[in-house]
């Protein structure tokens, strides 16, 4: 009897975990390595949401100062700035990449080295204000690492199929 209850709880827990993570899919997450004494770096990834939602916050044990950012032209000058959220339209992949939307980690107390894994917690908010938290472990790529190949069709699906 105990075995059946335990098994049912494991199955129920697995189903709840699947539902909780099904709303936003995260692909190709990575963090850029730093050189010694460098105090900032960025994280990049592809986000696809099943319904309209927004990425509203990020946290990481790397630093208490983690922000959602964008690069945008302003008065013919490319500027980086913190933004309150990144909109994720239902079914469309939004790429966080160098030169565009990205996550920024500031006041780093130590070097971020290629090959490390960085835990990230992403917080999403739907139209009703309901929040979802998704944990990701992002590999650190070398400062001069090549960017992932772009999808010529603009679909942002990279090298995987689904």
């Amino acid at each position: 009897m105990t075995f059946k209850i335990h098994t049912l709880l494991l199955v129920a827990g697995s189903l709840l975990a699947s539902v909780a993570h099904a709303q936003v899919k995260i692909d190709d997450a990575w963090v850029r390595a730093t050189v010694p004494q460098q105090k900032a770096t960025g994280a990049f990834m592809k986000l696809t949401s099943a319904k309209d939602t927004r990425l509203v916050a990020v946290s990481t044990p790397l630093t208490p100062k983690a922000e959602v950012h964008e690069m945008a032209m302003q008065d013919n000058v490319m500027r980086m700035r913190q933004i309150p959220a990144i909109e994720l339209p239902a079914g469309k992949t939004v790429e966080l990449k160098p030169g565009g939307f990205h996550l920024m980690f500031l006041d780093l107390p130590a070097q971020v080295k290629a090959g490390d894994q960085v835990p990230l917690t992403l917080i999403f908010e739907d139209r009703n204000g309901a929040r979802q938290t998704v944990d990701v472990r992002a590999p650190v790529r070398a400062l001069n690492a090549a960017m992932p190949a772009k999808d010529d069709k603009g679909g942002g699906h990279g090298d995987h199929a689904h």
Side-chain angles (χ1 to χ4, degrees), residues 135-147:
D135 293 322
V136 178
R137 290 191 69 82
V140 177
R141 294 184 185 168
L143 197 59
N144 60 355
M147 291 294 301

Side-chain angles (χ1 to χ4, degrees), residues 146-161:
M147 291 294 301
K150 289 187 176 183
D151 182 344
D152 293 337
K153 297 173 187 168
H157 288 271
D159 58 354
H160 70 275

Side-chain angles (χ1 to χ4, degrees), residues 35-114:
V35 296
Q37 310 305 319
Q38 183 178 344
K39 297 296 181 191
T41 192
F44 314 96
M45 62 198 69
K46 296 174 185 172
L47 304 172
T48 308
S49 178
K51 62 182 184 179
D52 290 343
T53 192
R54 308 165 8 130
L55 172 63
V56 296
V58 60
S59 65
T60 176
L62 282 180
T63 178
K65 196 164 183 178
E67 301 175 345
V68 178
H69 275 220
E70 76 170 351
M71 296 287 293
M73 288 298 286
Q74 185 177 27
D75 300 325
N76 291 326
V77 177
M78 183 64 84
R79 298 185 189 272
M80 180 175 68
R81 67 183 179 130
Q82 182 179 12
I83 56 176
I86 296 173
E87 299 294 327
L88 304 174
K92 293 189 175 184
T93 299
V94 174
E95 187 172 7
L96 280 59
K97 60 186 179 183
F101 293 125
H102 60 280
L103 305 176
M104 196 75 197
F105 308 130
L106 305 164
D107 300 334
L108 295 170
Q111 182 179 9
V112 180
K113 296 179 181 175

Side-chain angles (χ1 to χ4, degrees), residues 51-52 125-131:
K51 62 182 184 179
D52 290 343
E125 184 177 277
D126 69 15
R127 286 183 177 183
N128 300 320
R131 289 194 168 198

Side-chain angles (χ1 to χ4, degrees), residues 4-18:
K4 287 182 181 179
I5 292 172
H6 181 70
T7 302
L8 286 173
L9 289 174
L10 283 175
V11 170
S14 296
L15 290 174
L16 288 174
S18 296

